[in-house]
């Protein structure tokens, strides 16, 4: 690319069979292609490292059958609706206390199921673009082959040569300046691998922390779906969160290990796989038992150091997210402490992730640090109307819940005042509100938006695709203050999901 001198790789998603398509037809349907195109672009404008989408082309003629959900048929026809949920006053729940009833309803709502009907869908091809698509799984594959060769006493075969080649290639494509160029001429493989692994830890940690910040769950975050540089990819079973749930994920097969707040841990696990895989290259036998033991000890020492360093980096990046979302400096101690008390509150009040943080940003913007009008701050938080779709809470709060929220607001404001005194000469002139408005997006690409887009597109109407493509390019824009913005976009998209969208197959969850 002439403008920045960087080389880009292209991948065609849905172009047909390849040697790697695992027996399937290699095609992609329009529905999933629209989701990937818009989501990868949305992630870019949200400020989280990602692959990009260069183009989306509908295939001429031809359809394919795919499993889907009766209540979410892409032709817009009715499929029977979502499974109905009991209410808090349902007679069947009368024997349980209120909190237990809430837990039962939440469990029923979060039940996922696989598709129940085969549907005919149009085909499409998406062109993915990235500096590199080198995955942790690539290095893992060659490492496993080398490890097998080592167990068989073969250290000079092609397996170790290929492992070394993939490591040099990964360094060249992703970390040229710090891991390739300084070490290639001198054939310093150890220097190359260590520098690459250090850069990978920083990239993956920053990426997963970014996912938490914007309310994104990748859904299937294993080593095969994790690029070594920390770049979001594989927009398949992903989802942006509506109602807060620490284990949120759209995919029916995600399990708890890929749930929303477990993603930093999953990222660290992927990184550990990368470290173990890369360091296999140094376990290449030796002239005698002492040399073999020395090589193994060296690899173990490097592994321990790199993993301990990564744990610190991951923790630091996640803590920085809690800080900036609440208006503190990234290295403050206040954000993580306040999050500990806020997290159960968000669960209990059924808070919308995006709206809660954006409305909290408006509280920071509208009230001076010295202001103690906490009741008025609560009114601003709920957008002055607990019953509107622009309130962050799915249900009007009980008096006790409202009291607890106001108490938390007070604790947050007191912490901000305390931090302001310490950061007075070290905040670069950035106010808490400015930090929050730049960290808490107003718009994320929620599934109900995407369903509307691909349903209309399947019927030949692409207007919503273009509308969403415009919306996602300014996720932090404030329509109320930006006179050039279209206020109709705010009315349409700055709102919670409808209750039906939180339980319906194909919208609330998918396979």
């Amino acid at each position: 690319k002439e403008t920045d001198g960087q080389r880009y790789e292209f991948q065609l998603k849905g172009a047909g069979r390849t040697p790697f398509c695992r027996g399937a037809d290699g095609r992609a349907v329009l529905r999933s292609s629209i989701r990937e195109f818009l989501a990868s672009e949305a992630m870019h404008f949200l400020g989280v490292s990602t692959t990009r989408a260069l183009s989306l082309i509908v295939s001429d003629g031809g359809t394919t059958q795919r499993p889907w959900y009766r209540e979410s048929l892409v032709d817009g026809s009715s499929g029977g609706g979502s499974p109905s949920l009991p209410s808090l006053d349902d007679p069947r729940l009368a024997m349980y206390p209120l909190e237990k009833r809430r837990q039962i309803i939440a469990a029923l709502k979060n039940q996922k199921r696989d598709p129940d009907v085969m549907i005919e869908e149009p085909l499409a091809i998406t062109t993915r673009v990235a500096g590199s698509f080198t995955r942790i799984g690539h290095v893992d594959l060659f490492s496993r082959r080398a490890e097998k060769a080592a167990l068989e006493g073969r250290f000079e075969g092609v397996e170790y040569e290929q492992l070394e080649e993939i490591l040099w290639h990964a360094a060249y494509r992703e970390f040229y300046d710090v891991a390739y160029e300084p070490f290639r001429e001198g054939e310093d493989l150890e220097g190359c691998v260590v520098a690459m692994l250090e850069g990978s830890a920083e990239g993956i940690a920053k990426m997963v922390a970014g996912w938490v910040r914007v309310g994104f769950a990748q859904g299937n975050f294993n080593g095969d779906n994790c690029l070594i540089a920390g770049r979001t990819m594989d927009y398949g079973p992903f989802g942006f969160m509506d109602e807060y749930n620490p284990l949120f994920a759209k995919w029916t097969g995600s399990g708890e290990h890929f749930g929303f707040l477990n993603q930093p841990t999953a990222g660290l696990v992927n990184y550990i796989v990368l470290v173990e895989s890369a360091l296999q290259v140094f376990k290449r036998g030796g002239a005698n038992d002492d040399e073999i033991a020395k090589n193994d000890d060296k690899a173990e020492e490097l592994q321990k150091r790199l993993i301990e360093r990564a744990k610190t980096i991951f923790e630091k990046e996640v803590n920085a997210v809690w800080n900036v979302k609440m208006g503190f400096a990234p290295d403050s101690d206040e954000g993580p402490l306040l999050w500990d008390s806020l997290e159960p509150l968000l669960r209990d009040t059924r808070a919308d992730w995006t709206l809660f943080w954006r409305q909290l940003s408006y509280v920071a913007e509208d009230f001076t640090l010295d202001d103690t009008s906490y009741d008025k701050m609560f009114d601003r938080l709920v957008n002055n109307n607990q019953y509107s779709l622009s309130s962050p809470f799915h249900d009007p709060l009980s008096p006790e819940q409202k009291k607890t929220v106001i108490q938390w607001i007070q604790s947050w404001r007191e912490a901000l005042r305390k931090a302001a005194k310490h950061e007075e000469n070290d905040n670069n002139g950035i106010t808490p509100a400015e930090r929050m408005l730049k960290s808490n997006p107003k718009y994320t690409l929620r599934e109900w938006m995407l369903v509307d887009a691909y349903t209309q597109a399947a019927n030949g109407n692409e207007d919503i695709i273009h509308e969403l493509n415009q919306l996602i390019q300014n996720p932090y824009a404030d329509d109320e203050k930006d006179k050039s913005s279209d206020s109709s976009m705010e009315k349409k998209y700055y709102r919670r999901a409808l209750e039906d969208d939180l339980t319906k197959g194909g919208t609330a969850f998918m396979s």
Side-chain angles (χ1 to χ4, degrees), residues 177-234:
D177 291 336
V178 297
Y180 184 85
E181 197 275 335
F183 305 107
R184 188 54 168 150
E185 186 175 349
E187 293 294 316
D188 182 0
L189 182 61
E190 181 182 333
C192 163
V193 170
V194 170
M196 180 180 71
L197 292 174
E198 289 178 344
S200 178
E202 294 162 7
I204 297 172
K206 190 172 289 292
M207 174 186 70
V208 294
W211 293 352
V212 171
R213 181 175 62 81
V214 301
F216 176 83
Q218 196 270 356
N220 189 22
F221 190 41
N222 55 35
D224 285 339
N225 293 322
C226 184
L227 300 184
I228 65 168
R231 187 181 297 117
T232 313
M233 67 157 297
D234 188 39

Side-chain angles (χ1 to χ4, degrees), residues 310-381:
K311 289 178 180 178
T312 300
I313 292 171
F314 274 72
E315 182 179 16
K316 177 183 176 183
E317 291 293 343
V318 173
N319 284 343
V321 164
W322 303 133
N323 279 317
V324 296
K325 287 184 79 65
M326 297 183 205
F328 301 102
D331 59 352
S332 174
D333 295 328
E334 298 292 347
L337 294 174
L338 283 164
W339 168 247
D340 287 343
S341 58
L342 176 62
E343 193 278 333
L345 188 55
L346 294 183
R347 275 187 281 122
D348 180 59
T349 56
R350 299 190 61 212
D352 180 278
W353 184 258
T354 301
L355 264 63
F356 177 86
W357 291 109
R358 189 67 181 189
Q359 288 299 127
L360 194 69
S361 304
Y362 293 146
V363 173
E365 183 179 42
D366 292 353
F367 295 86
T368 64
L369 277 180
D370 293 331
D371 200 322
T372 57
S373 307
Y374 303 122
D375 287 342
K376 291 181 180 178
M377 293 178 196
F378 173 82
D379 291 338
R380 185 66 176 105
L381 179 66

